[in-house]
Every structure is written in structure tokens, then in C-alpha cells.
Amino acid sequence: MHIDNEIKLDFKDVLIRPKRSTLSSRSSVDLVRPFKFLHSKTEYAGIPIIAANMDTTGTFSMAEALGKHQLSVALHKHYDAKDYVEFFSKLTNKSTAFYSLGIGSADMKKFEEVMKAAPDAIKYVCIDVANGYTETFVSFVSSFRKSFPNMVIMAGNVVTGDMTEELLLAGADIVKVGIGPGSVCTTRKMTGVGYPQLSATIECADAAHGLGGLICADGGCTRPGDIAKAFGAGADFVMLGGMFAGHDESGGEVLEKDGKKYRAFYGMSSKSAMDKYAGGVAHYRAAEGKTVLLEDRGPVEGTIQDILGGVRSACTYVGARRLKELTKRTTFVRVTQQLNEVFG
Ligand code: 5GP
């Protein structure tokens, strides 16, 4: 039995130390990042924040709202093939939308059907499994890369440098990082498995950048400051579920209770999701996600402004003129308290 005694950290354990800066205004901070990829020849430019491929955040209408600000969406995998064909055929070159799939044969069949009907329309895919540590997953990524040499492939999830390297070598351009930090995830509770998200981001980014690859920090951001910390820790992209949930663009039913409007938000491995898409929870597994009711948050536009405002402001505090400089200019201080909670 082995115990790693080095303390691993989460967003809540640190703050970003301010630095002397010549920047006078948030408006002079550029959040757009251009990226070249390890394998694909596609070139990306945008604000590298992605709505998660959950059916309440990775929607077509979320893609449209976020696209206006150069943010991206990883679409959920439960639309009909013809709907993807229509969506991707209309997508302009400036918008980035990831087509998501798991490694099952039904997902691959649907993907091939969409590719056949709209060749060249899809440029980004997100190959997503809960546990990116299996050999089956690595070989799937590797054969997908052989079949689609110019596709931008994001693959995950993992939380350690060794597996980040393995996925990049197998053909991924972006490795998705995070096991258990999600707002509606219960993996840590059900399995005892996980890794603090800030340390996972730092370690996986380091491994990826050494090979010329990129990472996407996925899960655990609860407020704009956490997104700034994820970028500060070395994330190239940051994926958000809960922060984008509960809006008009999230779709799903609106429930009324005591005169207030609510929207359901649930993990994609929750009982709610499995009842909806897989005819219930299979006998050999347990749900690893939960369902919550969120007060309706209206259009996502206000949340986008908050997020971009927060990250821009973080950049001015450390003197980063561009988002790219945020990592270099970040020093984290370990803290025992984040906020003054006196007024709740
Ligand atoms: P959030 O931004 O809400 O903290 O985290 C979003 C991420 O949680 C998603 O991108 C995905 O990686 C993860 N996630 C979504 N649904 C589930 C689930 O049912 N179980 C687990 N373990 N993770 C989930």
C-alpha cells in the first residue's frame, strides 16, 4: 500500500497573489487565445471556455448564445443525427462546437451518419468517458485518430500526468482533466476515487505542455474566480456544467413551486439521465450523479458577462495583458479561508 503524502489542492485552498501591473483597465485584457494542436492542422481562436456536454448545458441554443462571445459548447450526445447535421451545416467558421461521443458502437454509428451527411462540417470532437484509464479507451482514441487525421480530438477524463501523456500520444489534441469534482457528480462518494482539481490541472497541464498538447480542466468551478484559478494553474480550456445550468438556454422542463420557477439539473450518470436515455440504471452499476433543482436564472448572457468580467479582472490583478500570460503571472497562496461569510 502506498500513500502519497504531498498535499493536493482544490480551488478553495488557494487564492491568486496580486502582482505589480501596468494594466490600467480590464478592457485592455484580451481573453481570446489562438491555439495550434498537436495532431490536427485546424487552428482555433476563441475564449477557451466550454459548456459541458450535459443535456442541460450542451444544447444548440447554448451554442448560439456562447458563440456570440467566442465561447464554445461541447454538445450533448442525445440529439438525433438529422439535428446535428442541420446544426453543423449552419455553423460559421468562427464558432467552435464539439461533437461528443462515448466509445460505444451506437455513438460511433450516429457520428458516422452525421459525418456522411455533412462531410467536413465537424471539426472538433469530445470523446468522453467517466474513466479515461482503460486500455479500451486509449485504443479507441488511437483508432479514431487514424480514421480522422485532421479532427481536433478532446479526450478524457483523467487526472494524472502519465495518462495525459498516453492519451496525447494515442492521438488526442486536448486531454480533459477531472474525476469527481463536478457539481452533480457523486463518483467520489460512490467509489472513493478522485483527485483535487487544482493539483490535477497543474500536473496534467505540465505533462501535456511538455509534449505540445493541451488540457481542458473539467468540473469543480463554482464561481468566476475558480475559472481564473484553473487558467492560472495552466488549463488551456475550462469546461463548465453547473455554472451554465439553470438558464433559458439549458432546455428542459421549468417547474413552478411557491411562485418560483425552477429547472432540473442532473449528472449524466445520474438516475435521472439513465432513466431518460438508457431505460434505467443497469443492474451491475450504481448512479454516479445526482439531480438538483435550480432556481431559473434567465438568459445565460448575464452569467457570461460575470464570467468574462471576473477573469478579465483577475488578469489585471496580476498584470496579464492576455489570458495566455495568466499562468506565467500566477502565484497561488495557500489559504484557510476564502471569503468573509458574515452576511451569508
Ligand atoms: P461542474 O462544472 O458542474 O462542476 O462539472 C461539470 C462536469 O461534471 C462535466 O463536464 C462532467 O465531466 C462531470 N459530470 C457530469 N455529469 C456527471 C455524473 O453524473 N457523474 C460524474 N461523475 N461526473 C459528471
Side-chain angles (χ1 to χ4, degrees):
M1 199 261 299
H2 177 75
I3 295 182
D4 183 351
N5 275 313
E6 196 186 319
I7 291 182
K8 304 293 177 184
L9 303 170
D10 249 309
F11 298 127
K12 67 163 184 27
D13 301 316
V14 299
L15 287 167
I16 299 170
R17 189 169 74 187
K19 278 202 173 72
R20 208 175 70 80
S21 156
T22 53
L23 276 173
S24 53
S25 158
R26 278 158 227 214
S27 61
S28 40
V29 174
D30 184 6
L31 295 182
V32 172
R33 285 206 68 175
F35 284 125
K36 288 192 171 150
F37 298 102
L38 179 58
H39 301 281
S40 169
K41 299 273 177 294
T42 300
E43 289 187 16
Y44 163 95
I47 298 180
I49 295 176
I50 310 174
N53 50 322
M54 303 168 76
D55 68 352
T56 45
T57 56
T59 62
F60 292 145
S61 31
M62 191 66 80
E64 198 180 314
L66 297 190
K68 288 184 192 145
H69 296 270
Q70 289 181 272
L71 277 64
S72 320
V73 163
L75 295 166
H76 70 75
K77 64 177 195 178
H78 299 292
Y79 287 115
D80 286 338
K82 64 171 179 22
D83 297 330
Y84 292 114
V85 172
E86 196 188 326
F87 173 85
F88 278 102
S89 307
K90 283 198 296 211
L91 201 66
T92 62
N93 253 351
K94 286 192 79 178
S95 301
T96 312
F98 289 76
Y99 181 102
S100 306
L101 70 165
I103 60 174
S105 55
D107 285 5
M108 195 61 202
K109 205 168 143 231
K110 197 198 282 190
F111 176 69
E112 280 165 353
E113 200 182 323
V114 177
M115 286 294 281
K116 208 165 145 200
D120 303 326
I122 300 177
K123 297 197 161 44
Y124 297 81
V125 297
C126 168
I127 308 175
D128 190 30
V129 293
N131 172 9
Y133 281 76
T134 65
E135 257 178 49
T136 331
F137 181 60
V138 178
S139 25
F140 185 91
V141 171
S142 163
S143 71
F144 198 95
R145 169 56 71 209
K146 285 196 191 90
S147 308
F148 304 100
N150 202 31
M151 190 69 78
V152 176
I153 301 177
M154 174 156 71
N157 281 18
V158 299
V159 284
T160 50
D162 55 342
M163 216 51 201
T164 300
E165 285 169 358
E166 178 140 3
L167 287 172
L168 290 170
L169 295 172
D173 295 295
I174 310 164
V175 174
K176 199 146 74 74
V177 173
I179 294 188
S183 57
V184 281
C185 162
T186 57
T187 292
R188 292 180 184 174
K189 206 158 135 185
M190 293 303 291
T191 67
V193 176
Y195 209 95
Q197 185 66 356
L198 183 88
S199 289
T201 303
I202 293 171
E203 292 168 29
C204 294
D206 196 39
H209 297 162
L211 288 180
L214 302 173
I215 68 148
C216 173
D218 172 23
C221 290
T222 59
R223 41 176 81 123
D226 293 343
I227 304 172
K229 289 174 191 176
F231 283 127
D236 303 290
F237 291 86
V238 176
M239 181 173 274
L240 307 173
M243 287 187 70
F244 282 139
H247 295 95
D248 293 353
E249 292 79 358
S250 308
E253 237 181 290
V254 179
L255 306 163
E256 294 244 5
K257 223 166 82 178
D258 305 327
K260 279 190 181 152
K261 289 206 285 185
Y262 293 86
R263 284 174 194 275
F265 176 52
Y266 45 84
M268 294 314 290
S269 306
S270 65
K271 185 171 179 313
S272 305
M274 287 194 264
D275 284 349
K276 194 163 171 191
Y277 299 114
V281 182
H283 68 90
Y284 56 86
R285 61 182 294 181
E288 284 183 29
K290 63 182 172 190
T291 304
V292 292
L293 269 189
L294 304 181
E295 220 173 287
D296 183 40
R297 299 167 72 193
V300 76
E301 181 67 27
T303 302
I304 299 173
Q305 295 298 341
D306 265 7
I307 290 175
L308 299 185
V311 177
R312 264 196 204 104
S313 186
C315 288
T316 58
Y317 271 109
V318 297
R321 201 166 288 279
R322 290 178 297 153
L323 182 58
K324 182 181 194 299
E325 295 163 18
L326 183 56
T327 311
K328 269 200 307 253
R329 300 190 66 92
T330 291
T331 303
F332 289 119
V333 281
R334 274 188 67 197
V335 295
T336 54
Q337 189 186 339
Q338 281 276 317
L339 307 169
N340 180 343
E341 308 274 11
V342 69
F343 296 124

